[in-house]
Amino acid sequence: MCTVLDAELWGILDGLNLILERCYGSVLIQTDSLEAVNVIQEESFGGSTSALVRRIRQLLDTVRLWKIQHISRDKNKIADGLVRMVHDRRSGLRVFEDSLL
């Protein structure tokens, strides 16, 4: 059991781990959680004491170029489509190398 914010942060951390395993040099994180965006950005100024946020920041420090953006839920259609695919297929982890647009 965890908070909604923790669930968002775990998702970001898992995604970063996948990206680093594939040796990508840049990362764009888009989330509909403004709180997650703020807590990760604040960490760059030493604001968070969360071990989860610190781990995300450690991984981001190993990436050449990264950016985090808040995207409104109604504009986050790709993520909604991915969630529907997971619920429809229930076939484990799927990694998409290209945009679904």
Side-chain angles (χ1 to χ4, degrees), residues 48-61:
S48 177
T49 58
S50 164
L52 184 54
V53 174
R54 283 196 314 270
R55 182 65 184 138
I56 290 169
R57 289 296 308 189
Q58 286 173 343
L59 291 178
L60 288 172
D61 287 342

Side-chain angles (χ1 to χ4, degrees), residues 4-5 8 31-38 69-71 73:
V4 172
L5 175 60
E8 291 284 344
T31 177
D32 61 8
S33 171
L34 185 57
E35 191 174 4
V37 171
N38 289 337
Q69 294 178 331
H70 175 259
I71 184 168
R73 185 167 291 154

Side-chain angles (χ1 to χ4, degrees), residues 6-62:
D6 285 341
E8 291 284 344
L9 293 172
W10 277 111
I12 291 169
L13 180 62
D14 288 344
L16 286 172
N17 282 318
L18 289 170
I19 286 167
L20 292 176
E21 287 174 8
R22 287 161 179 75
C23 301
Y24 289 108
S26 59
V27 177
L28 171 60
I29 301 168
Q30 293 181 322
T31 177
D32 61 8
S33 171
L34 185 57
E35 191 174 4
V37 171
N38 289 337
V39 75
I40 291 170
Q41 288 178 333
E42 287 172 8
E43 178 62 18
S44 63
F45 303 108
S48 177
T49 58
S50 164
L52 184 54
V53 174
R54 283 196 314 270
R55 182 65 184 138
I56 290 169
R57 289 296 308 189
Q58 286 173 343
L59 291 178
L60 288 172
D61 287 342
T62 67

